[in-house]
Amino acid sequence: MNSIPRVGFGLWKVAPDECADQVYAAIQAGYRHLDSACDYGNEAEAGQGIRRALDEGLCRREELWVTSKLWNTYHRPEHVRPALERTLSDLALDSLDLYMIHFPIALAYVPFEQRYPPEWIHDPAYPEQGMKLDDTPLHETWAAMEELVDAGLVKHLGVCNYNSALMHDLMRYARIKPLALQIELHPYLAQERMLRLCKQYGIDVVAYSPLGSLSYVELDMDGNMPSLIEHDVITAIAKRVGRTPAQVILRWNVQRGCAVLPKTSRPERLVENLALFDFELDEADMQAIGKLDRHHRFGDVGHFTEHAFNTFHPIFD
């Protein structure tokens, strides 16, 4: 499989004790795109769900698209391959379809045996000290990622949470070009310029938090923004086309050419979130939803690193 399935099952915030069953249920429901990361702390359990699905013949490995991400503490070239190998071991896979730099932030190395996943704060015993930055430049990390493709451990490479300047820079030095950029993307953060830029470079865009604030309410990061699935514009379109508000929002992004990563633990929603390809939004609907753009980023790194990790480290203007 060489193209990213348009709807994926995201593993962010899936509790480890529920992850194996949820991954199995997602594959059983028809998902063939799983989006994982070291930092999510549930890759071993995700691997159990994948193995069960494969053993029971729900699909073949080559029919699954599995993504994972390099965490910030493993940016030094000598740590990149061991980080991937730990992910592959946890997922019980021989290779990944896509491996991405999770954030354009290099943090000081934390050995596996000391803490895994290492998270953001360098020493949890002294949280007031916050994050400990490392001086590894991104081009060195990318070159080490390219070696993973050369070794047959990874099929494609990508990046997450890059801004446009970093994307321009990456395209200047990358020997193996990125297949995809994963960014926060929903009607309150439409990111039209970034979509145009990625199209110009032939890069796929994967939308995380595609339903907006639902991903951030429990983290107290929703900023009291009105819920997208309850917005009058969305609900009116949903009623007219005979779909749920969530389906309308997801279809809007898919119709813009993006892959989406909705998350749910409810079986009926698993099926609902996949059912996006037997209807279309007309141009008036697309424009109406696009006009909801407030340039509002729920997962603002400069905000949450300062408030949660005692380190002001913005990556977006």
Side-chain angles (χ1 to χ4, degrees):
M1 184 184 297
N2 291 312
S3 59
I4 305 174
R6 294 297 93 181
V7 183
F9 183 70
L11 301 182
W12 182 45
K13 297 195 305 178
V14 177
D17 61 353
E18 299 174 359
C19 190
D21 288 340
Q22 289 199 27
V23 166
Y24 176 85
I27 295 173
Q28 188 177 47
Y31 285 80
R32 296 297 180 264
H33 174 185
L34 302 174
D35 183 81
S36 182
C38 153
D39 186 55
Y40 301 164
N42 54 16
E43 288 197 317
E45 293 79 9
Q48 294 168 15
I50 292 170
R51 179 50 51 195
R52 179 185 168 196
L54 295 178
D55 288 347
E56 294 184 12
L58 297 187
C59 67
R60 293 172 291 127
R61 169 63 185 99
E62 54 267 32
E63 296 173 321
L64 273 182
W65 181 283
V66 183
T67 295
S68 189
K69 307 176 189 78
L70 178 78
W71 185 240
N72 305 341
T73 52
Y74 307 128
H75 274 218
R76 284 188 174 268
E78 64 267 29
H79 301 314
V80 170
R81 181 161 178 163
L84 170 70
E85 290 174 340
R86 173 61 186 262
T87 278
L88 290 176
S89 176
D90 284 348
L91 291 172
L93 297 175
D94 296 325
S95 66
L96 291 178
D97 298 278
L98 177 61
Y99 198 41
M100 314 184 87
I101 293 177
H102 203 151
F103 287 95
I105 301 172
L107 297 180
Y109 177 63
V110 177
F112 298 155
E113 60 272 17
Q114 179 176 328
R115 191 170 67 255
Y116 191 88
E119 301 182 335
W120 292 84
I121 292 178
H122 186 68
D123 188 347
Y126 301 95
E128 68 279 1
Q129 296 179 3
M131 297 156 52
K132 184 177 180 181
L133 299 174
D134 184 78
D135 60 3
T136 304
L138 288 169
H139 72 85
E140 290 186 5
T141 304
W142 188 261
M145 299 270 282
E146 291 173 326
E147 292 178 5
L148 303 177
V149 178
D150 297 337
L153 298 173
V154 170
K155 294 179 182 176
H156 304 284
L157 300 177
V159 293
C160 307
N161 302 300
Y162 271 40
N163 60 29
S164 56
L166 287 178
M167 292 303 297
H168 287 304
D169 190 51
L170 173 60
M171 296 302 287
R172 301 285 77 77
Y173 61 74
R175 173 172 60 88
I176 298 175
K177 304 301 183 185
L179 176 75
L181 167 69
Q182 187 177 130
I183 49 176
E184 181 182 338
L185 198 60
H186 45 74
Y188 286 155
L189 185 66
Q191 302 238 43
E192 289 288 349
R193 289 161 62 92
M194 187 62 83
L195 262 63
R196 287 182 61 190
L197 178 62
C198 287
K199 184 176 181 180
Q200 177 177 306
Y201 280 131
I203 297 171
D204 282 345
V205 174
V206 180
Y208 70 77
S209 302
L211 298 175
S213 61
L214 293 181
S215 299
Y216 296 93
V217 171
E218 64 191 62
L219 300 176
D220 196 28
M221 291 170 57
D222 63 324
N224 295 316
M225 290 285 285
S227 170
L228 275 168
I229 63 172
E230 297 174 356
H231 196 287
D232 289 347
V233 170
I234 303 294
T235 56
I237 294 172
K239 182 177 181 180
R240 183 176 58 77
V241 300
R243 298 290 174 148
T244 67
Q247 286 176 312
V248 167
I249 296 169
L250 295 174
R251 178 65 201 182
W252 171 77
N253 250 333
V254 167
Q255 214 162 301
R256 299 163 83 213
C258 303
V260 292
L261 299 172
K263 173 188 168 293
T264 182
S265 59
R266 295 169 58 178
E268 69 275 15
R269 290 283 172 81
L270 281 175
V271 175
E272 173 188 309
N273 290 341
L274 275 178
L276 306 177
F277 303 98
D278 58 351
F279 76 102
E280 289 189 2
L281 302 176
D282 63 28
E283 186 58 31
D285 294 336
M286 294 293 291
Q287 290 186 12
I289 297 172
K291 289 178 181 177
L292 299 180
D293 187 14
R294 302 186 184 186
H295 307 288
H296 182 83
R297 190 182 305 277
F298 290 102
D300 190 315
V301 178
H303 175 79
F304 72 71
T305 55
E306 181 174 28
H307 289 269
F309 310 125
N310 298 307
T311 308
F312 179 58
H313 196 79
I315 60 174
F316 304 111
D317 294 334

